[in-house]
Amino acid sequence: MEKRISGRTGLMALIGSPVGHSGSPAMYNFSFQHLGLDYAYMAFDIKVDQVPAALDTIRLLKMRGCNVTMPCKNEVAKHVDELSPAARIIGAVNTIVNDDGKLTGHITDGVGFVRSLQEEDVEVKDQKMVVLGAGGAGTALQVQCALDGAREISIFNQNDEFFARALETKEKLEKEVPDCIVNVYALEDTEKLTEEIAAADILVNATSVGMKPNDGVSLVDKKLLRKDLIVADTVYNPQETQMVLDAKEAGCAKAIGGAGMLLWQGAAAFKLYTGLEMPTDEYQQFQKEQAAK
């Protein structure tokens, strides 16, 4: 039996469906044990129509917090008591913090992206960004970068349902962060894409292009990459996508993969729960040791 579990151990969890593949329990339980915190973390398969009952359970069991994955992120945003600025703009939640029965919804994906850039000595403030994709990850980082002072964000997306989301994001940011210029363009408009990348400080892929098993593909022609451009990807499998590899080959100022965003969004939630920094270095070392076994 796990010796550290006691009658006073607090519960935290991940909710969504499916959750069996999630690495969150391993990450958070390692961190709790490493810091001597009396919490345990589990994953529960929760469908969208079960969200209200799940939130009642968080209150009933006095859980300190809960992470949220698809397909529950948007539904949770409708039922919590309060939303962070980013979660309110996006209309989605991936982290719930319980303060004596008051549930506050946060979205830490964008925070994780910004932190992953900061770890590489890159700031988004006053920068012009080109972001490919307007899905969940793309919207989260677009909103967070605007809140953190990006000067201009040009969003490119295929003409699908996410294009409409990009237009909604533009409209919301014009009201919430008027100092940030937001434009939306069709990804198929290669002339405009070329023009915008030429004027950008930071280029981000927030689509699934380049993700296994469809790795080896990039949305950006290598000849558009230049030495003073910062290139980042939200895809973390493989660790280096074709766009990141192309950026390294082109000698870009930075070529940043998506693993950092994944790590730091989890660390941001950990800090919201505990007020402490997650032991990210130690956890990454633990991961390496486990992979080597």
Side-chain angles (χ1 to χ4, degrees), residues 99-171:
D99 292 305
D100 298 321
K102 178 186 177 182
L103 303 186
T104 302
H106 301 260
I107 187 87
T108 65
D109 294 326
V111 175
F113 174 77
V114 171
R115 179 66 183 270
S116 73
L117 296 191
Q118 290 173 336
E119 290 293 310
E120 298 288 339
D121 299 318
V122 175
E123 297 290 342
V124 301
K125 184 175 173 58
D126 298 326
Q127 302 299 293
K128 175 179 170 63
M129 304 178 65
V130 169
V131 181
L132 311 178
T139 303
L141 72 88
Q142 290 152 17
V143 168
Q144 192 63 50
C145 288
L147 290 170
D148 286 352
R151 171 172 53 87
E152 185 174 349
I153 302 174
S154 293
I155 305 169
F156 284 82
N157 199 86
Q158 292 178 340
N159 190 14
D160 57 18
E161 69 271 21
F162 293 116
F163 192 88
R165 177 187 286 187
L167 293 173
E168 289 176 8
T169 300
K170 170 182 165 64
E171 184 177 345

Side-chain angles (χ1 to χ4, degrees), residues 27 109 112-113 116 234 236 258-267 287:
M27 179 175 72
D109 294 326
F113 174 77
S116 73
T234 62
Y236 57 87
M261 177 179 176
L262 181 68
L263 175 69
W264 291 110
Q265 64 85 20
Q287 281 184 303

Side-chain angles (χ1 to χ4, degrees), residues 42-73:
M42 297 182 68
F44 298 107
D45 197 292
I46 300 294
K47 306 296 192 294
V48 171
D49 62 348
Q50 298 172 314
V51 163
L55 299 188
D56 287 341
T57 301
I58 292 171
R59 295 186 181 96
L60 178 65
L61 298 182
K62 297 180 172 58
M63 297 169 65
R64 173 56 181 154
C66 201
N67 290 108
V68 185
T69 190
M70 295 301 290
C72 297
K73 291 183 176 184

Side-chain angles (χ1 to χ4, degrees), residues 185-262:
Y185 302 109
L187 186 58
E188 296 83 0
D189 189 344
T190 54
E191 185 176 338
K192 177 55 74 172
L193 180 61
T194 299
E195 177 186 325
E196 289 295 303
I197 292 176
D201 302 297
I202 303 173
L203 168 64
V204 185
N205 174 46
T207 75
S208 60
V209 174
M211 182 186 295
K212 283 185 177 294
N214 299 312
D215 48 331
V217 182
S218 174
L219 288 171
V220 178
D221 192 312
K222 197 185 308 183
K223 67 174 181 285
L224 300 181
L225 306 177
R226 59 181 200 278
K227 295 189 182 301
D228 63 338
L229 183 65
I230 293 159
V231 175
D233 209 318
T234 62
V235 172
Y236 57 87
N237 184 22
Q239 287 193 347
E240 292 188 335
T241 60
Q242 189 60 49
M243 192 171 89
V244 169
L245 292 171
D246 288 347
K248 287 188 172 184
E249 186 178 328
C252 290
K254 298 285 183 178
I256 305 167
M261 177 179 176
L262 181 68

Side-chain angles (χ1 to χ4, degrees), residues 85-97:
R88 176 173 51 80
I89 294 170
I90 297 166
V93 163
N94 78 336
T95 302
I96 304 167
V97 178

